[in-house]
Amino acid sequence: MIEPSVPHGTEPLHQLDSEHTDRNTLPPIQATQGSDQYLHDTDSTNAAPVAPQPEHIASAPEWVKERSDTSAPESDNEWLEYKITSIPPPDLSGIYLKAERMILQQQANQSANKKNSTEIPLSVTTAPNESSIQWPPGQTGRLAKFLFENSYSPVPEVAITAALGLLAGVCGRAYRTYTGKDLALYLILVARSGIGKDGIHEGIPDLIELSGIPAAKYFVRGTDYVSGEALHKELLTAPGFLNLLGEFGRKLKRMANPSDTPMQQLRTLITNAFGKRYLEGKVYSNSEKNVLGVDWPALSLLGETTPGSFLECLTPDMMADGFMSRFLVVSYDGGRPMPNPSRSTSLSNEDLDSWRALVYQAVKYQSPINTPPPCIVCASDDAREKLDSFERDCIENLNATEDEFERQVWSRAHLKAMKVACILAVSDTYLHPKIGIEHVAWALNLIRQDIEVFRSRNQSGDVGISDDTRERKLVTFMRDYIRQPPPPSYKIPSGMREACIVPRGYLQTKTSSLPAFANHKLGAKRAMDDALHSMRDNGFIMEVKNTVLSENYNFHGKAYRILKLPD
């Protein structure tokens, strides 16, 4: 088959999308009068094959060049002298628009798939009492269930976090990992207000009281230390305890403020005390007030806060110095559970005896001096191999990025996993603790979820209040806008989303209450305008003309067409 030549830059007709090309609207290609005799030769013996005719025969259009000689053809090949000199290019705008929309949809879906392809879910479902965290194995799990079943608003994450925090405070100074680190932990429970976070402050004292050991009360302290100096003195005189912090987000906000000197000192001490072998003493002009340093301060922290307060505090500065990478974050995104009217569950005799024996053993290490040698937690071969493999993964991920936020996420993940696994092992057999594969599996599950919380929040623009944070958040909203239609309450005209046009009002509604926008010094409106201006300059969006919006969509506000989405 011989195809007519097509002007440069025009798509061949047979390649047009059949959905968008109506053959009846294209100019018919016909022969001229001079070829009519040839096409309808009555001599069947000499007749050449008749070319197929379109159903709508008409006079030859201008874009077909006729022969000057209208006589009958002298040979069978003479009809080839007819040629198409030009073809008006078809309107492909509909096809291009569909292709762009498909590309943007694919980008949005790929981004969503990346988030959903992680081994550990980012957060729990919204249904109360459904959790992405399984109950810990062994004695730790039974202690957590005791706290859960005796809570007025039972939430698994709250109970599990409380059990881990309590065991870290009790065991932190008395035991060491096989790599020579204490078992102290920094924990933060992030959950919406009103879901029952008070269970932490109620359940932990109950377990301390059940131990029956008077000195056990010093393992848990609810003191609000207003400066690094105050906490430093406390650790020098009474090391190895859990500090319970209510609404820790407020204190984190102050720590993120460089001009708040007392909180900067507290932040520095918390950063330095994590895993520290020796905490230096204090020397004053009055020598009688001097305090000697202490080995293994083993400070543990357990704070609870709301998502908004927590995410606002995750500034680049808080991540750069390793402060936030020391914390293990447990998230709960579910609702408030129904109240638990019967809260009379008791520990079994075996579990109660085991708990009391562990506390009795750990009390020996409360003194700053003259304490017994610590107990080393060993590991089975398969457990150690699993932890070593995870450490190699952490190092590879850390070396694979220049993003300081991403590096901090991986820098202490292995250490936190090892500490959690050791705590589980100590809780099971406090005299000769040994990490089993079940302890490692649960610890890695918890740590991977912690990693994904930080990474996904950072990628979606939830972390910090910088210009880059605001742009990432707008990208997230635009990607969601393409993937799924917004609710009817936004009153977006039909067809705008299909054309990848997002109204400015939609973005303003989505961003106005976010800390990164609402707390901008010039207001949320200016913050969003600056972010949109930057995205426009970088070629991600373009403003659509008012005439196009009013004529095509009967829309009279400002809107932007999404050209591409950054990763």
Side-chain angles (χ1 to χ4, degrees):
M1 176 179 178
I2 300 177
E3 297 182 353
S5 60
V6 182
H8 180 68
T10 306
E11 294 289 336
L13 296 181
H14 63 80
Q15 293 181 6
L16 293 180
D17 190 329
S18 59
E19 278 186 43
H20 298 272
T21 306
D22 186 352
R23 297 181 183 275
N24 293 330
T25 63
L26 294 176
I29 302 176
Q30 300 173 348
T32 62
Q33 287 182 346
S35 64
D36 195 46
Q37 180 182 352
Y38 169 73
L39 295 174
H40 299 280
D41 195 335
T42 54
D43 186 354
S44 60
T45 59
N46 298 323
V50 179
Q53 304 275 327
E55 296 180 0
H56 43 281
I57 297 294
S59 60
E62 296 179 357
W63 44 272
V64 177
K65 183 177 181 181
E66 298 184 7
R67 288 180 52 195
S68 58
D69 183 9
T70 57
S71 60
E74 298 178 358
S75 67
D76 289 347
N77 293 330
E78 193 173 352
W79 65 277
L80 292 175
E81 295 184 18
Y82 295 97
K83 66 177 181 179
I84 300 173
T85 57
S86 66
I87 297 179
D91 183 8
L92 302 180
S93 58
I95 300 176
Y96 292 153
L97 181 61
K98 180 182 179 182
E100 286 185 6
R101 185 162 170 263
M102 290 175 63
I103 292 172
L104 289 171
Q105 181 77 42
Q106 186 178 19
Q107 289 179 351
N109 291 337
Q110 286 176 349
S111 177
N113 291 337
K114 288 180 181 179
K115 293 181 180 180
N116 296 332
S117 63
T118 56
E119 182 175 347
I120 305 301
L122 169 61
S123 59
V124 299
T125 58
T126 55
N129 297 333
E130 290 189 9
S131 173
S132 64
I133 305 178
Q134 300 297 321
W135 292 106
Q139 173 81 349
T140 305
R142 293 190 290 273
L143 292 176
K145 288 181 180 179
F146 169 80
L147 295 173
F148 174 81
E149 293 170 358
N150 285 281
S151 174
Y152 181 76
S153 298
V155 175
E157 280 77 5
V158 175
I160 292 171
T161 306
L164 281 178
L166 175 59
L167 288 170
V170 172
C171 308
R173 196 160 187 257
Y175 295 86
R176 303 281 186 277
T177 69
Y178 59 81
T179 58
K181 297 293 184 180
D182 63 40
L183 303 192
L185 285 175
Y186 292 174
L187 295 156
I188 299 179
L189 174 66
V190 181
R192 290 179 289 181
S193 58
I195 60 94
K197 296 190 292 290
D198 291 341
I200 291 176
H201 306 279
E202 297 171 357
I204 288 179
D206 289 344
L207 277 175
I208 289 292
E209 186 177 352
L210 279 176
S211 69
I213 301 174
K217 64 181 180 181
Y218 298 113
F219 282 127
V220 180
R221 309 185 186 193
T223 307
D224 181 16
Y225 298 99
V226 297
S227 67
E229 181 77 11
L231 180 57
H232 193 171
K233 289 181 179 178
E234 188 81 350
L235 287 172
L236 293 176
T237 57
F241 62 88
L242 171 68
N243 186 206
L244 283 178
L245 302 166
E247 191 41 58
F248 188 46
R250 294 180 181 178
K251 185 162 288 189
L252 282 175
K253 284 184 180 181
R254 293 185 59 190
M255 290 181 184
N257 182 5
S259 62
D260 195 330
T261 303
M263 287 296 104
Q264 291 302 305
Q265 294 175 349
L266 180 60
R267 171 180 157 185
T268 300
L269 180 67
I270 291 175
T271 302
N272 294 336
F274 184 82
K276 196 172 183 66
R277 181 181 180 87
Y278 179 78
L279 182 63
E280 295 76 8
K282 304 293 291 185
V283 178
Y284 300 92
S285 58
N286 184 354
S287 59
E288 293 181 358
K289 295 182 179 180
N290 292 348
V291 184
L292 297 175
V294 64
D295 290 328
W296 299 105
L299 170 67
S300 291
L301 299 174
L302 175 50
E304 42 90 1
T305 185
T306 59
S309 298
F310 176 69
L311 295 173
E312 184 180 350
C313 301
L314 297 184
T315 62
D317 180 55
M318 294 280 274
M319 295 299 297
D321 65 357
F323 176 76
M324 289 308 304
S325 68
R326 287 163 165 78
F327 283 86
L328 172 56
V329 179
V330 179
S331 298
Y332 174 69
D333 291 341
R336 180 186 177 96
M338 297 302 293
N340 178 19
S342 58
R343 302 186 299 279
S344 57
T345 303
S346 301
L347 286 173
S348 67
N349 292 333
E350 182 180 357
D351 290 336
L352 184 57
D353 291 342
S354 176
W355 168 240
R356 288 173 173 172
L358 172 59
V359 174
Y360 180 79
Q361 174 72 10
V363 164
K364 304 173 185 177
Y365 296 84
Q366 285 185 332
S367 173
I369 58 174
N370 300 326
T371 57
C375 180
I376 305 300
V377 183
C378 59
S380 63
D381 292 340
D382 53 352
R384 181 177 289 221
E385 192 278 330
K386 198 74 173 177
L387 284 170
D388 290 346
S389 176
F390 180 65
E391 182 177 24
R392 291 191 294 270
D393 292 341
C394 292
I395 294 174
E396 290 177 359
N397 282 283
L398 188 146
N399 292 334
T401 179
E402 296 296 328
D403 185 348
E404 191 59 38
F405 190 101
E406 185 86 2
R407 291 174 63 85
Q408 291 297 329
V409 166
W410 294 102
S411 61
R412 290 177 177 83
H414 171 258
L415 177 58
K416 291 186 286 189
M418 180 176 291
K419 287 190 174 192
V420 171
C422 286
I423 287 174
L424 300 179
V426 169
S427 181
D428 285 348
T429 52
Y430 72 95
L431 288 178
H432 303 286
K434 186 174 184 179
I435 303 173
I437 191 65
E438 69 279 6
H439 302 136
V440 174
W442 191 87
L444 292 182
N445 182 79
L446 182 67
I447 300 304
R448 287 194 179 107
Q449 179 176 351
D450 173 44
I451 291 172
E452 288 307 317
V453 166
F454 275 97
R455 296 184 69 195
S456 62
R457 294 294 193 182
N458 181 48
Q459 293 170 0
S460 61
D462 291 329
V463 174
I465 54 175
S466 64
D467 293 338
D468 185 57
T469 296
R470 287 185 280 271
E471 288 186 33
R472 288 199 304 270
K473 198 61 188 176
L474 285 177
V475 169
T476 299
F477 287 142
M478 291 178 185
R479 182 175 287 117
D480 293 341
Y481 176 83
I482 293 173
R483 291 183 62 237
Q484 290 183 342
S489 59
Y490 284 99
K491 299 179 180 180
I492 297 176
S494 175
M496 289 185 65
R497 176 179 165 271
E498 288 74 10
C500 300
I501 298 175
V502 56
R504 182 190 178 282
Y506 168 81
L507 297 174
Q508 183 171 348
T509 302
K510 299 284 285 186
T511 60
S512 59
S513 62
L514 299 179
F517 293 84
N519 296 342
H520 191 274
K521 61 182 179 180
L522 298 179
K525 178 179 178 296
R526 176 61 180 271
M528 190 186 72
D529 285 340
D530 289 348
L532 288 171
H533 182 80
S534 176
M535 292 184 66
R536 184 184 63 191
D537 290 347
N538 291 329
F540 298 131
I541 60 175
M542 64 176 292
E543 186 174 347
V544 183
K545 293 182 179 180
N546 292 335
T547 54
V548 175
L549 294 173
S550 60
E551 292 175 2
N552 295 347
Y553 307 105
N554 195 26
F555 181 80
H556 303 284
K558 184 176 288 188
Y560 299 89
R561 186 179 179 195
I562 304 171
L563 302 177
K564 61 181 179 179
L565 294 173
D567 295 332

